[in-house]
Amino acid sequence: MEPDLVATELDVISETYGKITETIGRFVVGNEPLIEMIYIGMLSEGHILLEGVPGTAKTVIAKTAALLSGCEFSRIQCAVDMQPADIIGVRIYDPERRDFVLRKGPIFSNFVLIDEMNRVSPRTQSAFIEAMSERQATIDGALHRFSSPFFVVATQNPYEFEGTFPLIEAQKDRFMFSARLDYLEAENELEIIRRESTGFLDWETYSTGVSPVLSPTRIERFIHAVRAVRVEEPVLQYIRDIVLATRKHADIWLGASPRASIAMVRGGKALAALHGRTYVIPDDIKQVAHLALPHRLIIRREADLGGVTAHEVTDEILAAVEVQ
């Protein structure tokens, strides 16, 4: 893509994102970083994992983003008795055709919300992860590819343990970005109360009055433009140094994988695009690192017992590593 065309397309991306945030803001209170992360993930062709206490708008924001994307949307509410076939689909016998026909599962969609992923068994979690990673499913020996774009937002409640199967670290690594949500600040909490008292928190009223801002074709075009964003050598080395620092830190037992490096490159490009820039700056990488690193780091047991968290270690590393 020609540089002038790239710059023009990035301006369109930035302008479109402005419309998206304004539209979401009519219904969702606060959570601007989460909204930004969802669109960084979408433009980076990566899936995201949301962790946090109940009632922090994880599901609502994902549904709103899907509505504005103009894509085919499916929501999967996880349960302990769910089987892989419930996700990817199954072939069933059709008496009229006298043959087996494929009934595709909900994973065959452009925008998939997997709610409470830690409620399904490890076997079913593996089916999710395989489908997300390969962007395809094998059913009775036949390969079925997903349509493009394909984007997954998964949620889990890390504070609830009964009847749950927490994702292991290797599975979390397959998510490009992750964030842990907490309760809103006092003023935003009050704004929710105001909106509820005046009837502005009715999903049916809001959703019927909102038109998609994007479309699958437009998202694909934007993804192609984001790939053309420049990342200069010093910034690439900065990403390398951050990842290497996670592997040497005294409080980290297992550092970030190469997937973290890839996530920061792609995420940095997407963030630059949302701001209308044709190049990535170190501050883009710092911001994206908070999304790409913590869920990939395994803290040493003694440090964990001392209250050290992956987020704190990430902050420490970013404060110590400099751009060469």
Side-chain angles (χ1 to χ4, degrees):
M1 186 179 289
E2 294 294 328
D4 290 344
L5 292 177
V6 172
T8 301
E9 194 76 335
L10 296 181
D11 286 341
V12 175
I13 292 175
S14 181
E15 180 183 347
T16 303
Y17 179 65
K19 294 178 182 177
I20 288 171
T21 54
E22 189 274 330
T23 304
I24 294 179
R26 296 179 204 162
F27 187 75
V28 176
V29 178
N31 284 300
E32 290 83 2
L34 172 56
I35 296 168
E36 184 177 65
M37 182 178 72
I38 287 178
Y39 284 94
I40 289 174
M42 188 180 295
L43 295 177
S44 302
E45 297 182 280
H47 312 299
I48 67 175
L49 175 66
L50 305 180
E51 301 178 287
V53 295
T56 47
K58 300 184 295 293
T59 300
V60 170
I61 292 174
K63 285 171 58 180
T64 307
L67 175 66
L68 295 176
S69 73
C71 293
E72 183 181 354
F73 171 72
S74 66
R75 176 184 176 182
I76 304 172
Q77 182 63 53
C78 296
V80 69
D81 59 348
M82 187 173 284
Q83 298 297 314
D86 298 323
I87 310 305
I88 62 175
V90 65
R91 287 170 58 85
I92 60 174
Y93 186 76
D94 186 337
E96 294 183 1
R97 298 186 183 184
R98 296 184 178 181
D99 195 7
F100 286 89
V101 296
L102 175 63
R103 178 178 292 174
K104 291 184 177 180
I107 199 72
F108 284 87
S109 190
N110 296 120
F111 195 118
V112 182
L113 171 61
I114 305 174
D115 226 347
E116 296 186 295
M117 189 173 182
N118 55 332
R119 289 207 173 275
V120 296
S121 67
R123 181 186 177 201
T124 307
Q125 287 177 359
S126 297
F128 273 126
I129 298 298
E130 181 181 4
M132 288 163 45
S133 301
E134 304 297 331
R135 298 176 184 265
Q136 62 187 28
T138 302
I139 305 173
D140 287 348
L143 184 66
H144 302 273
R145 299 190 183 279
F146 300 154
S147 57
S148 188
F150 175 65
F151 179 59
V152 171
V153 176
T155 73
Q156 68 170 352
N157 178 2
Y159 302 102
E160 195 170 321
F161 301 103
E162 187 173 349
T164 63
F165 304 88
L167 295 173
I168 62 175
E169 282 69 18
Q171 291 174 322
K172 286 186 176 182
D173 191 36
R174 298 303 181 104
F175 287 93
M176 185 171 284
F177 303 117
S178 176
R180 180 163 290 195
L181 309 182
D182 208 342
Y183 293 120
L184 295 174
E185 296 178 353
E187 187 54 43
N188 283 332
E189 189 74 26
L190 180 58
E191 178 60 22
I192 289 178
I193 296 170
R194 289 195 189 106
R195 293 190 184 189
E196 175 60 27
S197 69
T198 54
F200 280 95
L201 284 185
D202 183 73
W203 171 257
E204 293 300 325
T205 301
Y206 171 77
S207 60
T208 54
V210 170
S211 299
V213 178
L214 297 169
S215 66
T217 302
R218 203 175 191 201
I219 293 172
E220 285 289 297
R221 199 182 80 204
F222 284 175
I223 289 173
H224 185 68
V226 167
R227 290 174 186 161
V229 172
R230 301 194 319 275
V231 187
E232 302 296 344
E233 187 65 21
V235 178
L236 294 175
Q237 293 176 4
Y238 181 49
I239 295 172
R240 176 203 61 190
D241 293 343
I242 291 172
V243 172
L244 292 181
T246 69
R247 301 170 187 173
K248 300 175 183 177
H249 196 282
D251 291 332
I252 298 178
W253 180 71
L254 187 65
S257 73
R259 289 193 183 98
S261 302
I262 294 171
M264 284 193 279
V265 172
R266 293 185 179 181
K269 288 185 174 186
L271 183 57
L274 292 182
H275 291 286
R277 280 187 277 104
T278 61
Y279 56 89
V280 175
I281 60 177
D283 282 348
D284 293 330
I285 303 305
K286 279 189 176 181
Q287 183 173 337
V288 170
H290 286 97
L291 309 177
L293 291 180
H295 67 288
R296 292 184 162 94
L297 306 181
I298 302 179
I299 302 299
R300 291 188 183 277
R301 184 173 180 80
E302 55 271 24
D304 186 39
L305 291 173
V308 176
T309 68
H311 291 276
E312 291 172 345
V313 174
T314 299
D315 289 338
E316 186 179 325
I317 289 172
L318 293 175
V321 177
E322 298 180 352
V323 182
Q324 299 298 322

Short mmCIF file of all heavy atoms in Angstrom, two decimals, residues 13 17 26 29 39 57 73 83 93 103 110 119 127 129 183-184 189 191 196 201 235 244 249 279 286:
data_model
loop_
_atom_site.label_atom_id
_atom_site.label_comp_id
_atom_site.label_asym_id
_atom_site.label_seq_id
_atom_site.Cartn_x
_atom_site.Cartn_y
_atom_site.Cartn_z
N ILE A 13 -9.51 5.39 9.94
CA ILE A 13 -9.58 4.51 11.12
C ILE A 13 -9.74 5.34 12.38
O ILE A 13 -10.59 5.05 13.23
CB ILE A 13 -8.32 3.63 11.21
CG1 ILE A 13 -8.29 2.62 10.06
CG2 ILE A 13 -8.26 2.91 12.56
CD1 ILE A 13 -7.01 1.78 10.01
N TYR A 17 -12.98 5.36 14.80
CA TYR A 17 -12.86 4.99 16.21
C TYR A 17 -13.45 6.08 17.11
O TYR A 17 -14.07 5.77 18.14
CB TYR A 17 -11.40 4.73 16.57
CG TYR A 17 -11.21 4.36 18.03
CD1 TYR A 17 -11.73 3.16 18.53
CD2 TYR A 17 -10.52 5.20 18.89
CE1 TYR A 17 -11.57 2.83 19.85
CE2 TYR A 17 -10.35 4.87 20.23
CZ TYR A 17 -10.88 3.68 20.70
OH TYR A 17 -10.73 3.35 22.02
N ARG A 26 -22.63 6.53 24.99
CA ARG A 26 -24.03 6.86 25.28
C ARG A 26 -24.67 5.83 26.22
O ARG A 26 -25.64 6.13 26.90
CB ARG A 26 -24.84 6.89 23.97
CG ARG A 26 -24.43 7.96 22.99
CD ARG A 26 -25.31 7.84 21.75
NE ARG A 26 -24.68 8.40 20.58
CZ ARG A 26 -25.05 8.14 19.33
NH1 ARG A 26 -26.08 7.32 19.11
NH2 ARG A 26 -24.42 8.68 18.31
N VAL A 29 -20.71 3.44 30.80
CA VAL A 29 -20.08 4.46 31.63
C VAL A 29 -18.63 4.05 31.90
O VAL A 29 -18.37 2.93 32.36
CB VAL A 29 -20.83 4.64 32.96
CG1 VAL A 29 -20.13 5.67 33.84
CG2 VAL A 29 -22.28 5.05 32.71
N TYR A 39 -10.75 -2.83 20.39
CA TYR A 39 -10.50 -2.44 19.00
C TYR A 39 -9.04 -2.61 18.62
O TYR A 39 -8.73 -2.87 17.45
CB TYR A 39 -11.01 -1.02 18.75
CG TYR A 39 -12.51 -1.03 18.64
CD1 TYR A 39 -13.31 -0.78 19.74
CD2 TYR A 39 -13.13 -1.39 17.45
CE1 TYR A 39 -14.70 -0.85 19.66
CE2 TYR A 39 -14.51 -1.47 17.36
CZ TYR A 39 -15.28 -1.20 18.45
OH TYR A 39 -16.65 -1.30 18.36
N ALA A 57 -19.29 -4.69 33.48
CA ALA A 57 -19.65 -4.37 32.09
C ALA A 57 -18.84 -5.11 31.05
O ALA A 57 -18.81 -4.71 29.89
CB ALA A 57 -19.54 -2.86 31.85
N PHE A 73 -22.64 -12.07 15.03
CA PHE A 73 -22.26 -12.17 16.43
C PHE A 73 -22.89 -13.41 17.07
O PHE A 73 -24.04 -13.75 16.79
CB PHE A 73 -22.73 -10.92 17.18
CG PHE A 73 -22.58 -10.99 18.68
CD1 PHE A 73 -21.34 -10.91 19.27
CD2 PHE A 73 -23.70 -11.13 19.49
CE1 PHE A 73 -21.20 -10.97 20.65
CE2 PHE A 73 -23.58 -11.18 20.88
CZ PHE A 73 -22.32 -11.10 21.45
N GLN A 83 -19.94 -29.59 26.04
CA GLN A 83 -19.00 -30.46 25.33
C GLN A 83 -18.44 -29.75 24.10
O GLN A 83 -19.04 -28.79 23.60
CB GLN A 83 -19.71 -31.75 24.90
CG GLN A 83 -20.23 -32.58 26.05
CD GLN A 83 -19.12 -33.08 26.95
OE1 GLN A 83 -18.09 -33.58 26.48
NE2 GLN A 83 -19.31 -32.94 28.25
N TYR A 93 -28.00 -36.75 11.39
CA TYR A 93 -28.68 -37.42 10.28
C TYR A 93 -29.98 -36.70 9.95
O TYR A 93 -30.80 -36.42 10.82
CB TYR A 93 -28.96 -38.88 10.63
CG TYR A 93 -29.53 -39.66 9.47
CD1 TYR A 93 -28.71 -40.07 8.42
CD2 TYR A 93 -30.89 -39.98 9.42
CE1 TYR A 93 -29.23 -40.78 7.36
CE2 TYR A 93 -31.42 -40.69 8.35
CZ TYR A 93 -30.57 -41.09 7.32
OH TYR A 93 -31.08 -41.78 6.25
N ARG A 103 -24.33 -29.31 11.39
CA ARG A 103 -24.94 -28.24 12.16
C ARG A 103 -23.79 -27.51 12.87
O ARG A 103 -23.25 -27.99 13.86
CB ARG A 103 -25.93 -28.79 13.17
CG ARG A 103 -26.58 -27.71 14.04
CD ARG A 103 -27.59 -28.29 15.00
NE ARG A 103 -28.75 -28.79 14.28
CZ ARG A 103 -29.75 -29.47 14.86
NH1 ARG A 103 -29.68 -29.73 16.16
NH2 ARG A 103 -30.78 -29.89 14.15
N ASN A 110 -18.27 -14.17 13.15
CA ASN A 110 -17.21 -13.17 13.04
C ASN A 110 -16.75 -12.67 14.41
O ASN A 110 -15.57 -12.48 14.66
CB ASN A 110 -17.66 -11.98 12.21
CG ASN A 110 -17.97 -12.33 10.78
OD1 ASN A 110 -19.08 -12.14 10.32
ND2 ASN A 110 -16.98 -12.83 10.05
N ARG A 119 -15.81 -21.86 33.30
CA ARG A 119 -16.85 -22.75 33.80
C ARG A 119 -16.92 -24.06 33.01
O ARG A 119 -17.62 -25.00 33.42
CB ARG A 119 -18.22 -22.07 33.76
CG ARG A 119 -18.37 -20.99 34.81
CD ARG A 119 -19.80 -20.77 35.22
NE ARG A 119 -19.86 -19.83 36.33
CZ ARG A 119 -19.71 -20.14 37.60
NH1 ARG A 119 -19.48 -21.41 37.92
NH2 ARG A 119 -19.79 -19.24 38.55
N ALA A 127 -10.88 -27.19 23.14
CA ALA A 127 -11.57 -27.03 21.86
C ALA A 127 -11.70 -25.56 21.50
O ALA A 127 -11.52 -25.17 20.34
CB ALA A 127 -12.95 -27.68 21.94
N ILE A 129 -9.64 -23.11 22.53
CA ILE A 129 -8.30 -22.59 22.25
C ILE A 129 -7.84 -23.03 20.86
O ILE A 129 -7.26 -22.25 20.10
CB ILE A 129 -7.30 -23.05 23.32
CG1 ILE A 129 -7.70 -22.50 24.70
CG2 ILE A 129 -5.90 -22.61 22.96
CD1 ILE A 129 -7.71 -21.00 24.80
N TYR A 183 -14.02 -2.45 39.98
CA TYR A 183 -15.19 -1.59 40.07
C TYR A 183 -14.86 -0.17 39.62
O TYR A 183 -13.71 0.27 39.68
CB TYR A 183 -15.71 -1.55 41.51
CG TYR A 183 -16.27 -2.87 41.99
CD1 TYR A 183 -15.73 -3.52 43.10
CD2 TYR A 183 -17.35 -3.47 41.34
CE1 TYR A 183 -16.25 -4.73 43.55
CE2 TYR A 183 -17.86 -4.67 41.78
CZ TYR A 183 -17.31 -5.30 42.88
OH TYR A 183 -17.82 -6.50 43.30
N LEU A 184 -15.88 0.54 39.15
CA LEU A 184 -15.70 1.91 38.70
C LEU A 184 -15.45 2.84 39.88
O LEU A 184 -15.76 2.53 41.03
CB LEU A 184 -16.96 2.37 37.95
CG LEU A 184 -17.29 1.65 36.65
CD1 LEU A 184 -18.64 2.12 36.13
CD2 LEU A 184 -16.20 1.88 35.61
N GLU A 189 -19.69 5.47 39.13
CA GLU A 189 -20.74 4.69 39.77
C GLU A 189 -22.01 5.53 39.92
O GLU A 189 -23.13 5.06 39.69
CB GLU A 189 -20.27 4.21 41.14
CG GLU A 189 -21.19 3.20 41.81
CD GLU A 189 -21.12 1.81 41.18
OE1 GLU A 189 -20.07 1.47 40.61
OE2 GLU A 189 -22.12 1.08 41.28
N GLU A 191 -22.83 8.02 38.01
CA GLU A 191 -23.40 8.23 36.68
C GLU A 191 -24.26 7.05 36.26
O GLU A 191 -25.32 7.22 35.62
CB GLU A 191 -22.28 8.46 35.67
CG GLU A 191 -22.73 8.66 34.23
CD GLU A 191 -23.65 9.87 34.04
OE1 GLU A 191 -23.62 10.80 34.89
OE2 GLU A 191 -24.40 9.89 33.05
N GLU A 196 -29.68 4.94 35.24
CA GLU A 196 -30.72 3.96 35.55
C GLU A 196 -31.99 4.65 36.02
O GLU A 196 -33.11 4.27 35.62
CB GLU A 196 -30.21 2.99 36.63
CG GLU A 196 -31.26 2.01 37.12
CD GLU A 196 -31.81 1.12 36.02
OE1 GLU A 196 -31.09 0.86 35.02
OE2 GLU A 196 -32.97 0.69 36.15
N LEU A 201 -30.40 3.25 30.74
CA LEU A 201 -29.64 2.01 30.75
C LEU A 201 -30.47 0.84 30.22
O LEU A 201 -30.24 -0.30 30.59
CB LEU A 201 -29.13 1.69 32.16
CG LEU A 201 -27.92 2.50 32.65
CD1 LEU A 201 -27.47 1.99 34.01
CD2 LEU A 201 -26.77 2.45 31.66
N VAL A 235 12.51 0.86 18.09
CA VAL A 235 11.30 0.43 18.77
C VAL A 235 11.22 -1.11 18.80
O VAL A 235 10.81 -1.70 19.80
CB VAL A 235 10.04 1.02 18.09
CG1 VAL A 235 8.77 0.51 18.77
CG2 VAL A 235 10.08 2.54 18.12
N LEU A 244 12.88 -9.73 27.01
CA LEU A 244 14.04 -10.38 27.64
C LEU A 244 14.11 -10.07 29.13
O LEU A 244 14.50 -10.91 29.94
CB LEU A 244 15.33 -9.94 26.95
CG LEU A 244 15.53 -10.43 25.51
CD1 LEU A 244 16.86 -9.95 24.96
CD2 LEU A 244 15.45 -11.95 25.43
N HIS A 249 13.96 -11.38 35.28
CA HIS A 249 13.53 -10.72 36.51
C HIS A 249 13.51 -11.70 37.68
O HIS A 249 13.06 -12.84 37.54
CB HIS A 249 12.14 -10.10 36.32
CG HIS A 249 11.78 -9.10 37.35
ND1 HIS A 249 11.37 -9.45 38.62
CD2 HIS A 249 11.78 -7.74 37.32
CE1 HIS A 249 11.11 -8.37 39.32
NE2 HIS A 249 11.35 -7.31 38.55
N TYR A 279 3.27 5.55 12.21
CA TYR A 279 4.46 4.98 12.85
C TYR A 279 4.18 4.73 14.33
O TYR A 279 3.33 5.38 14.94
CB TYR A 279 5.66 5.92 12.69
CG TYR A 279 5.40 7.31 13.23
CD1 TYR A 279 5.66 7.65 14.56
CD2 TYR A 279 4.84 8.29 12.40
CE1 TYR A 279 5.39 8.92 15.04
CE2 TYR A 279 4.56 9.56 12.88
CZ TYR A 279 4.84 9.87 14.20
OH TYR A 279 4.56 11.12 14.68
N LYS A 286 4.66 0.83 25.47
CA LYS A 286 4.44 0.81 26.92
C LYS A 286 2.98 0.53 27.25
O LYS A 286 2.67 -0.26 28.15
CB LYS A 286 4.86 2.15 27.52
CG LYS A 286 6.34 2.30 27.77
CD LYS A 286 6.63 3.56 28.57
CE LYS A 286 8.11 3.67 28.89
NZ LYS A 286 8.40 4.88 29.70
#
